[in-house]
Amino acid sequence: MESSGRAAVFDVDGTLVDTNHLHVVAWWEAFRQAGHDVPMHAVHRAVGLPSTDLVAHLLGEDRDTDQDADISAGHKALYGQYFDRLPPLPEAGALLRRLHRDGWTVVLATSAGGAELSALRRAIDADEAISATASADDVDQGKPAPEPVEHALELVGVPAERAVFVGDTVWDMRAGSRAGVRCVGVLCGGIPRADLEESGADAVYADPAHLLSALGDGALA
């Protein structure tokens, strides 16, 4: 059943919650513990990929894949130490509540699940505005494949042409573009404007607060 409304699909890490650099440090340490010296700037550019894809992207296809699970588990344990204090980005919750009031259906599309997703939702503190959450666990392929965005839209019955996807990485912009939705980039995840635009961003804002202040005439007017 298709809804007649509009959907605003949001990535979470680096878009609504200021976690990208926490992920970078946790991945860097997980790689170090497994005997790999991976520069933090390379890790940063890979954040937003599903765990297995991130490891493959950084270590290459000829790596010892027997280590993959241990590296991912190391990252998960290290990152979990921050769950009680994940910092929301400025006005993230206010943006979602305002969109909800304006008649948008708000959906989260994230690779996080379980305790991690609960911690992120606590940080955003706008549960009443969130209609659904599309987890990477529910699809065969994570970003930059279009499935996470397509799944998010299926959950709320909104067609791609009535949807906007907001994210902070090139993987987000590619996933949204492939899913046929309008893509909006934010700079608060640390990825340069030009990279987001080259990957499909129709508009780029500093952070959720900037997007909120521009709602009247911006990409989500």
Side-chain angles (χ1 to χ4, degrees):
M1 187 184 79
E2 290 205 342
S3 124
S4 59
R6 303 170 296 175
V9 182
F10 281 86
D11 169 64
V12 180
D13 283 296
T15 300
L16 296 171
V17 189
D18 194 7
T19 50
N20 281 9
H21 291 85
L22 300 177
H23 276 297
V24 170
V25 171
W27 277 117
W28 171 80
E29 178 62 18
F31 281 121
R32 194 194 67 80
Q33 289 177 2
H36 300 285
D37 183 15
V38 182
M40 289 202 203
H41 73 87
V43 178
H44 179 215
R45 298 188 73 86
V47 165
L49 290 170
S51 291
T52 308
D53 296 348
L54 182 144
V55 174
H57 182 75
L58 290 168
L59 296 185
E61 295 303 331
D62 57 350
R63 71 193 184 285
D64 173 9
T65 53
D66 290 345
Q67 283 193 321
D68 285 12
D70 284 348
I71 294 171
S72 290
H75 161 264
K76 191 173 183 177
L78 289 156
Y79 180 68
Q81 298 170 22
Y82 300 111
F83 281 1
D84 61 349
R85 58 192 186 281
L86 298 180
L89 281 151
E91 304 287 3
L95 172 63
L96 300 193
R97 288 190 292 271
R98 167 71 188 279
L99 288 169
H100 179 65
R101 277 202 311 277
D102 287 354
W104 290 81
T105 299
V106 175
V107 194
L108 304 183
T110 174
S111 54
E116 181 181 350
L117 179 57
S118 297
L120 290 164
R121 288 183 72 133
R122 280 197 304 276
I124 299 165
D125 193 24
D127 272 355
E128 69 278 10
I130 298 166
S131 296
T133 301
S135 165
D137 298 337
D138 305 327
V139 296
D140 291 332
Q141 285 188 290
K143 304 166 197 170
E147 278 97 318
V149 181
E150 292 168 346
H151 177 57
L153 295 178
E154 282 164 15
L155 288 176
V156 293
V158 176
E161 60 270 16
R162 295 190 59 78
V164 175
F165 180 45
V166 183
D168 68 300
T169 67
V170 298
W171 320 115
D172 291 328
M173 299 303 103
R174 289 177 188 165
S177 298
R178 291 170 185 172
V181 302
R182 183 153 190 230
C183 295
V184 173
V186 285
L187 299 172
C188 41
I191 299 301
R193 175 186 296 270
D195 292 12
L196 296 174
E197 289 174 344
E198 280 168 25
S199 307
D202 289 315
V204 179
Y205 295 86
D207 56 15
H210 183 203
L211 192 48
L212 177 62
S213 70
L215 275 188
D217 53 9
L220 281 80

